[in-house]
Amino acid sequence: MAGNDAAIEAVRNVLSRLRKRRGLRSNRLDSTEIDAAALLDLRVIAQHADRLGLRRQDAVAPVLREMVRRMPATDRLIADAELALGLLDDTRSAQIDPERLYAEDLGERREYLCRQWRPLHEAVKAETIPPAPTLSQLRRTPEHRAFTELARLLVDGTTYGSHPADTTAGTGDQVRGRVTVVGDAVIDHLYRVERIPQAHSTATGSFIAHPGGKGLARAVALARLGLEVHLMAAVGDDEAGRQILDFLHDQQVRTDLIKIVPSTPTPVTAVIVAPSGEQAIIACKADPAVLTAEDLNSPATHRALRGADAVLMSFEQPVPILEHVLATVGALEPRPTLIVHAAPPVTRPERLYPHLRVVDYLIGSSDELRMLTGTAEAAWQLRMHGVETVCSIDDFGCSVRSDRLNVDIPPFPALLTGSPGAHAAFSAALAYRLLRSRHPADTGDFTWATAAMVATQSLDDVPSAMPPADRIDHIVKLASEER
């Protein structure tokens, strides 16, 4: 314990020096101005640097931001402001000026922190707000406590991006299972319009921005159902990427497999939604913000796939990455249940054909399945390639084709003609039922997953529409009573 205390003290001293002047900058770690060895040699820094192929100096900032996000509100504000980490750069509060909070001089940052103490605590939704300190008070106990706590988190070596276990969940009938999701995490620009505009036309509407992506939506849907979820995706080292990580933490999704790409913007997707639920999508993908073969070869990735009860994936990542994941999962023994959504369309889908034999459940709309196979007889062709079960989803209804089932599940009553989150909810609900029964899905399981799609009817952001299990149960119950 004494050795740990000495290490914490050494790291705290480095952090105290780094906060001076402009705060944390990687070039200050390169200079001889500060002996940062105690910080750079930490396991948590080395692991993150190795995983992303970064210099340790460049891994410090993202790791520190992650650790500071875990701290209590007051300690978090002090560390964020004094190190100039920028966690509140994107705040929309009229009472907070990020330029002054992250000013180039430490004294200015301290003064602003003391002056705006209550609004800053309100901005981070602090449960309790201690009395505002004077400048001299801040420099004594509060600063010492905050930087000691940050040093302790770093020395403890908690894997960067991991999320603490949820100890508040009940243990009654909760389904236990671990799911790894491979897909995208993006910022959705959601445009709610009176109608989908045609060429040479204008439509009026409103706009919101929110974390989204097929991978992220499935991860959130699974977490809402009480499952342990790890998301494998890539984001940029920008405010949008930090917003995504914060959102996933709030949703109880583990982020230890999310790659943060330096000097790269987080991808953006434009989702245009009409009042009927009809939608159009424009994917503005930043090519560098994707997974690579090196990411998939990491020990952490292999542990996540090997230790999963189920793996969910879409076609958002590049085809070589999809091939790699399918081949890796296919080689595992025992093999996790593999649920694949055949979207978005891929170029040269024939490259995936040799791997389809490892897919347990392939999900998509009729159009998506047709684009994957090039034929209207998609279900038959896909089963010929070895897919165990094909689920065709259209208009909130589902058709299932396998050796065991040949069933068409009609849509549940719905107010909208479509929902951006329907397919994510279906995939997550199917995984939940599979992990609950530990048997191949039957008609009841597909019915439950179909009901989950109706529960997502919303014109707001996609992840927020993902339903909990009791909501899906309620829809199934009402429908059975009506029939």
Side-chain angles (χ1 to χ4, degrees), residues 190-218:
L190 181 63
Y191 299 87
R192 292 178 292 231
V193 297
E194 57 187 6
R195 57 180 172 78
I196 304 294
Q198 303 297 315
H200 311 296
S201 68
T202 301
T204 59
S206 60
F207 161 82
I208 61 171
H210 197 277
K214 288 180 170 58
L216 181 145
R218 281 155 179 76

Side-chain angles (χ1 to χ4, degrees), residues 113-125:
L113 181 61
C114 293
R115 189 179 310 119
Q116 297 298 106
W117 189 259
R118 174 166 287 277
L120 285 167
H121 279 76
E122 291 171 348
V124 298
K125 298 179 173 57

Side-chain angles (χ1 to χ4, degrees), residues 340-424:
V340 176
H341 182 197
V346 297
T347 56
R348 296 188 60 194
E350 64 274 9
R351 291 179 58 181
L352 299 178
Y353 293 169
H355 303 285
L356 293 179
R357 60 180 176 77
V358 306
V359 178
D360 296 293
Y361 299 89
L362 184 61
I363 299 165
S365 68
S366 297
D367 287 342
E368 290 164 348
L369 297 177
R370 185 169 57 251
M371 283 187 278
L372 178 60
T373 61
T375 175
E377 300 294 329
W380 183 81
Q381 287 283 354
L382 290 165
R383 290 178 59 208
M384 288 288 289
H385 280 289
V387 176
E388 185 71 26
T389 302
V390 179
C391 310
S392 179
I393 299 174
D394 293 290
D395 301 327
F396 293 120
C398 173
S399 296
V400 182
R401 300 293 182 264
S402 71
D403 289 341
R404 299 175 57 254
L405 291 175
N406 187 343
V407 61
D408 297 314
I409 299 170
F412 284 75
L415 297 175
L416 303 179
T417 60
S419 167
H423 289 195

Side-chain angles (χ1 to χ4, degrees), residues 13-148:
N13 288 338
V14 175
L15 295 172
S16 296
R17 292 195 292 273
L18 283 173
R19 69 186 172 184
K20 295 179 180 177
R21 296 198 288 276
R22 297 179 62 195
L24 176 64
R25 297 290 187 276
S26 60
N27 62 346
R28 297 186 68 197
L29 295 169
D30 286 323
S31 72
T32 57
E33 168 197 357
I34 296 173
D35 181 4
L39 178 63
L40 295 176
D41 290 343
L42 289 174
R43 182 180 64 174
V44 70
I45 301 294
Q47 285 178 338
H48 186 59
D50 292 344
R51 185 160 67 88
L52 297 187
L54 302 176
R55 300 183 315 141
R56 292 191 182 187
Q57 291 89 334
D58 296 324
V60 168
V63 171
L64 282 183
R65 291 189 186 103
E66 168 71 9
M67 294 301 182
V68 169
R69 287 187 181 98
R70 301 181 185 183
M71 297 168 67
T74 298
D75 293 347
R76 188 191 327 155
L77 287 168
I78 292 171
D80 174 36
E82 298 198 5
L83 288 168
L85 296 177
L87 299 187
L88 293 178
D89 262 336
D90 202 34
T91 183
R92 292 184 173 87
S93 171
Q95 295 181 282
I96 298 175
D97 182 355
E99 289 190 8
R100 298 181 68 184
L101 180 63
Y102 304 121
E104 295 197 1
D105 179 72
L106 174 60
E108 292 180 40
R109 297 197 296 274
R110 281 171 166 154
E111 288 179 6
Y112 190 78
L113 181 61
C114 293
R115 189 179 310 119
Q116 297 298 106
W117 189 259
R118 174 166 287 277
L120 285 167
H121 279 76
E122 291 171 348
V124 298
K125 298 179 173 57
E127 293 183 3
T128 59
I129 303 177
T134 65
L135 196 56
S136 61
Q137 289 171 337
L138 175 70
R139 297 179 65 172
R140 294 196 292 270
T141 302
E143 285 187 3
H144 185 274
R145 182 186 62 239
F147 281 88
T148 300

Side-chain angles (χ1 to χ4, degrees), residues 423-466:
H423 289 195
F426 182 95
S427 298
L430 179 60
Y432 173 88
R433 295 282 290 204
L434 289 166
L435 295 183
R436 189 180 77 163
S437 69
R438 302 288 171 167
H439 294 294
D442 59 21
T443 301
D445 297 321
F446 289 111
T447 300
W448 202 79
T450 301
M453 293 195 291
V454 176
T456 67
Q457 293 181 89
S458 170
L459 300 182
D460 291 321
D461 65 274
V462 174
S464 296
M466 296 300 108

Side-chain angles (χ1 to χ4, degrees), residues 43-56 59 62-63 66 70 158-162 230-235 245 249 254-262 290-304:
R43 182 180 64 174
V44 70
I45 301 294
Q47 285 178 338
H48 186 59
D50 292 344
R51 185 160 67 88
L52 297 187
L54 302 176
R55 300 183 315 141
R56 292 191 182 187
V63 171
E66 168 71 9
R70 301 181 185 183
T158 307
T159 304
Y160 169 74
S162 66
H230 296 253
L231 176 59
M232 188 184 305
V235 299
L245 291 174
H249 287 173
R254 310 291 180 94
T255 59
D256 49 305
L257 300 176
I258 292 186
K259 172 184 179 180
I260 302 174
V261 187
V290 295
L291 298 172
T292 65
E294 289 76 16
D295 302 322
L296 298 180
N297 286 326
S298 73
T301 297
H302 281 278
R303 283 195 301 271

